[in-house]
Amino acid sequence: MTFVIRMSSGEPPIPGTVAAPHPGGMEKTTTPTLRTKLIFWALLSVLSVAIAEVSVASAPFAFVNPVETAFLTLFYGSHLLLFAWLGFRRGWPTLPALWLGGVLFGLYEFYITKVLWEPPWGDVISLAHIDVVALVVLAFFWHPFMAFILPLAIGEAVGTRGRWVARQLPAWFTGASRRSILIAFAIVGLTHGLMTGSPGVAIISTASALSAFLVTASWWRRGGRATRWGLRDLLPNDKQGKRIALVLALQYVVFIPLWNADSIPPLLGHVIVWLLYAGFALLFHSALKDSISSSPVPTGSPAIWPRNRVIQWAGALLFLSALGSLGQPEIGFVVVWIGAIVAGLRMLVGTLRHAVRTPVGDATAEPAVVRDDDQAHTS
C-alpha cells in the first residue's frame, strides 16, 4: 500500500477544484480552490513547525497541546506562505532568493520573541544590543533552511511531481550518498533526543510530529491531488497573499507588546534591526529578478512510501531519539550551533557574492518549458 493515487488526465475534476479555461477553448488542468490550497498549506505549516521547533525540542509538544499546535502552525505557516508567495509570485526563485526570504522570515526573532536582543541562554557576542551569534544561527541558517526551504522542498516532493526547491539546494546538501543520508538521519534522531534530555519526552515529541506530518500528507494526497498541480499553483495568489500578510501583521500587533516586552531595547537596537530588514529586503528583491519565468518540467512522481518502509523509518527515528535522550543536552546544543554557524556564514557570503557578481536577469538554471497556467498564479 502506498500514499499515491494516480489519475489519468481524462478523469473529471476532483472535489475542491474549478475548471480553468484554456486559451484555445479546451479545458485543461483544473485550478485549485482556496479550500484545496488550505490542505496543502496545512502540510507546509506542519513541516515548518516540526523541522524548526520539534526537531531541537524548542517546542517538543507542539503537536500534543492543541493550543500550542494552533498557535505555532498559524504563526509559522503565515510566515512561510507570505515569503513563499513573494518568492514565487513572478517565477521560480533560485537559492539566493529562497535563502533571503528565509532570512526575512527569521528576523521575527527580534520583534516577536525578542530572542535576538536578549537570548535566554545569555549573550555570546553582543553588538548594538543584538546577539551576533544568535543572529547567525537563527536568522542566517535555522529559519531559512529549517523553517522555510526544507519544508517547501519536502512539501513539493511529497505533494507534487516537481522538485524545483530541492534542486536549488547546495551540492554539499543534495549530493550526499545513501550512506551520508543515513548518517545524517541518525544524527538528526540522536540530536533531537539529546536536546530533549528525557526518553519519554523524546518519544512523545517524535511520535506526535511524525503523526502530524503523515496525517496531513495523507490528507493532501487523497484523490490524486499530488499529481495535478505544481508548487506555484498551490501557493497563495496575490489576493490570498495580501490577506495572509494582514493576518501576520495582526499577530505582530498582538505579540510585540505581550511577549517578553521587557527585552525591547533602546532606539539604537531598533535602528539596527530596521537596517537589517531594509538591507535583506533589497537583496531579496534583487535576487527575485533572477527567477525563472517559465515553468520547469516535472521531474518525477510524488514521493512514494510503502507502509512497511514508513513503519521502519518511523521506528528507527523513535529509537534514535530515545537513545539520544540518555546523553547530555549540551552535546546536542553544541552540534547544532557549530553546524548552523558554519552553514549560515557560508550562505551569507555566497549570497553577497552572487548579488555583486551576477548581472540582473542572468538566470543560471537549466532551460524549462513554459506552461499555460503560470499566469493563474497572480489572478
Side-chain angles (χ1 to χ4, degrees):
M1 174 181 175
T2 65
F3 290 110
V4 170
I5 302 176
R6 305 187 186 282
M7 300 178 67
S8 66
S9 58
E11 292 185 15
I14 60 176
T17 68
V18 295
H22 190 278
M26 298 175 60
E27 280 197 353
K28 49 166 284 185
T29 304
T30 55
T31 300
T33 64
L34 176 59
R35 181 178 179 181
T36 299
K37 286 184 176 183
L38 284 171
I39 304 173
F40 187 72
W41 297 353
L43 172 61
L44 293 179
S45 301
V46 165
L47 282 167
S48 185
V49 174
I51 298 173
E53 291 287 332
V54 179
S55 68
V56 289
S58 179
F61 301 121
F63 297 108
V64 177
N65 183 334
V67 175
E68 191 173 8
T69 302
F71 166 69
L72 287 174
T73 52
L74 175 63
F75 185 75
Y76 272 82
S78 51
H79 274 91
L80 182 148
L81 291 170
L82 174 65
F83 291 108
W85 163 56
L86 294 173
F88 286 84
R89 187 166 175 249
R90 299 301 181 191
W92 295 83
T94 55
L95 179 62
L98 290 168
W99 180 77
L100 288 163
V103 171
L104 291 169
F105 180 157
L107 292 180
Y108 86 79
E109 296 280 12
F110 280 112
Y111 280 104
I112 300 296
T113 65
K114 288 77 169 180
V115 163
L116 297 182
W117 279 320
E118 190 174 327
W121 50 82
D123 291 333
V124 180
I125 301 176
S126 182
L127 180 64
H129 304 285
I130 295 173
D131 189 282
V132 177
V133 175
L135 177 68
V136 172
V137 171
L138 297 177
F140 293 172
F141 173 76
W142 198 255
H143 289 296
F145 280 100
M146 310 301 276
F148 188 62
I149 297 177
L150 284 183
L152 283 173
I154 296 172
E156 184 183 25
V158 168
T160 77
R161 294 192 300 139
R163 299 291 187 275
W164 175 264
V165 178
R167 291 191 353 243
Q168 306 311 304
L169 292 170
W172 53 266
F173 192 94
T174 58
S177 64
R178 182 177 178 82
R179 178 178 297 179
S180 299
I181 293 173
L182 291 174
I183 292 174
F185 179 81
I187 291 174
V188 169
L190 291 170
T191 302
H192 170 69
L194 284 168
M195 301 291 274
T196 63
S198 164
V201 173
I203 292 173
I204 294 172
S205 175
T206 303
S208 60
L210 282 172
S211 299
F213 166 63
L214 292 174
V215 167
T216 51
S218 300
W219 184 21
W220 167 249
R221 291 161 69 122
R222 289 178 59 191
R225 295 187 185 97
T227 62
R228 284 184 171 258
W229 300 290
L231 180 61
R232 285 190 72 219
D233 304 313
L234 297 167
L235 292 175
N237 58 31
D238 284 354
K239 183 178 181 180
Q240 295 160 352
K242 291 173 183 177
R243 290 178 176 176
I244 290 170
L246 177 60
V247 171
L248 187 59
L250 291 175
Q251 293 178 68
Y252 275 75
V253 170
V254 171
F255 288 110
I256 285 176
L258 294 181
W259 196 332
N260 295 335
D262 294 341
S263 300
I264 296 177
L267 179 61
L268 177 61
H270 293 277
V271 171
I272 300 300
V273 173
W274 298 338
L275 290 174
L276 286 172
Y277 266 109
F280 282 111
L282 287 173
L283 288 171
F284 183 50
H285 176 73
S286 177
L288 288 176
K289 296 178 181 179
D290 290 336
S291 297
I292 310 302
S293 59
S294 55
S295 196
V297 178
T299 56
S301 300
I304 301 175
W305 311 312
R307 177 182 291 179
N308 62 340
R309 185 65 58 84
V310 172
I311 293 173
Q312 290 171 2
W313 282 85
L317 190 59
L318 286 167
F319 172 76
L320 290 167
S321 296
L323 181 64
S325 67
L326 301 177
Q328 294 297 320
E330 292 78 10
I331 298 175
F333 189 84
V334 170
V335 169
V336 170
W337 273 61
I338 291 177
I341 290 171
V342 172
L345 290 176
R346 186 171 181 175
M347 281 302 305
L348 176 64
V349 172
T351 301
L352 292 176
R353 285 179 177 173
H354 174 85
V356 171
R357 297 178 181 178
T358 305
V360 172
D362 180 19
T364 57
E366 59 191 76
V369 175
V370 178
R371 273 189 344 195
D372 293 327
D373 61 341
D374 269 345
Q375 298 302 321
H377 186 72
T378 56
S379 61

